[in-house]
């Protein structure tokens, strides 16, 4: 797709919809988007397994279990130099709690230095954005969205995504 302004405008079927009323755009999207992968620029993604390939079903079709989600995130971290995973504790049921870091490889290599820099309250260095998916046990949508977002950031070769990960 041509670069038309923003990551979302480049990846969504709505960005390719004919110019018309919002209702017509939604009808156009519903006819064309049959999978989450329809919303991603698949030609831009490398060899990391998509969530659908890893789980054997499209997230959202069934609820992901904690162990499935954790296994996928560990796979991304083991196969991508953009991803790091750190154990931060356990739930009251003994499940592993983690932070997943996704950034440019040079930022991943310097996470401790970047943390110290941010703790000094400087405005230098890359922006840190915390995404909390399913912070409550009965929130299924976050656990189903998280692998898609992580995969996209870890695998995309889109220049806008790469620039965002640097900053």
């Amino acid at each position: 797709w041509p670069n038309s302004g923003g990551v979302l405008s480049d990846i969504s079927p709505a960005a390719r919809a004919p110019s018309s009323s919002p209702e017509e755009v939604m009808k156009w999207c519903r006819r064309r988007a049959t999978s989450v992968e329809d919303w991603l620029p698949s030609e831009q993604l490398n060899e990391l397994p998509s969530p659908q390939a890893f789980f054997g079903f499209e997230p959202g079709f069934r609820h992901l279990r904690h162990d499935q989600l954790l296994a996928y995130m560990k796979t991304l971290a083991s196969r991508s130099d953009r991803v790091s995973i750190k154990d931060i504790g356990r739930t009251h049921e003994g499940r592993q709690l983690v932070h997943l870091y996704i950034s440019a490889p040079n930022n991943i290599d310097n996470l401790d230095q970047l943390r110290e820099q941010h703790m000094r309250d400087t405005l230098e260095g890359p922006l840190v954005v915390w995404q909390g998916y399913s912070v409550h046990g009965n929130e299924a949508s976050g656990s189903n969205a998280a692998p898609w977002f992580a995969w996209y950031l870890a695998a995309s070769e889109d220049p806008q995504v790469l620039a965002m990960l640097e900053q």
Side-chain angles (χ1 to χ4, degrees):
W1 302 297
N3 236 348
S4 59
V7 173
L8 290 179
S9 66
D10 292 338
I11 65 173
S12 72
R16 299 175 306 229
S19 294
S20 57
S21 71
E23 294 81 18
E24 289 300 312
V25 170
M26 288 306 296
K27 286 179 191 175
W28 189 90
C29 288
R30 283 189 200 107
R31 286 194 306 267
R32 284 158 182 80
T34 59
S35 165
V36 172
E37 289 178 328
D38 292 338
W39 293 83
L40 299 172
S42 60
E43 74 276 1
Q44 300 275 331
L45 300 178
N46 66 27
E47 296 300 315
L48 288 175
S50 72
Q52 186 167 346
F54 184 86
F55 299 120
F57 59 91
E58 186 172 328
F61 182 74
R62 304 196 300 249
H63 294 312
L64 293 175
R65 297 185 319 263
H66 179 268
D67 61 307
Q68 292 173 311
L69 184 57
L70 189 58
Y72 183 69
M73 298 306 184
K74 286 180 176 181
T75 297
L76 290 182
S78 70
R79 295 187 187 179
S80 173
D81 59 356
R82 296 183 200 169
V83 182
S84 176
I85 193 167
K86 293 191 179 187
D87 192 327
I88 61 165
R90 301 273 174 202
T91 69
H92 72 280
E93 294 177 336
R95 295 183 186 135
Q96 185 180 17
L97 291 173
V98 298
H99 277 165
L100 187 76
Y101 300 90
I102 306 172
S103 190
N106 60 314
N107 292 336
I108 292 294
D109 291 341
N110 296 304
L111 283 176
D112 291 333
Q113 290 172 313
L114 292 171
R115 182 181 182 279
E116 289 174 19
Q117 191 175 23
H118 282 272
M119 295 299 288
R120 288 192 304 268
D121 199 26
T122 65
L123 297 176
E124 297 176 22
L127 178 65
V128 175
V129 177
W130 181 74
Q131 298 284 317
Y133 289 92
S134 296
V135 296
H136 302 106
N138 64 349
E139 294 173 346
S141 60
S143 292
N144 287 299
W148 285 105
F149 189 58
W151 173 63
Y152 179 67
L153 293 178
S156 180
E157 295 298 332
D158 183 292
Q160 288 179 314
V161 173
L162 297 175
M164 179 182 64
L165 293 175
E166 282 286 339
Q167 302 168 8

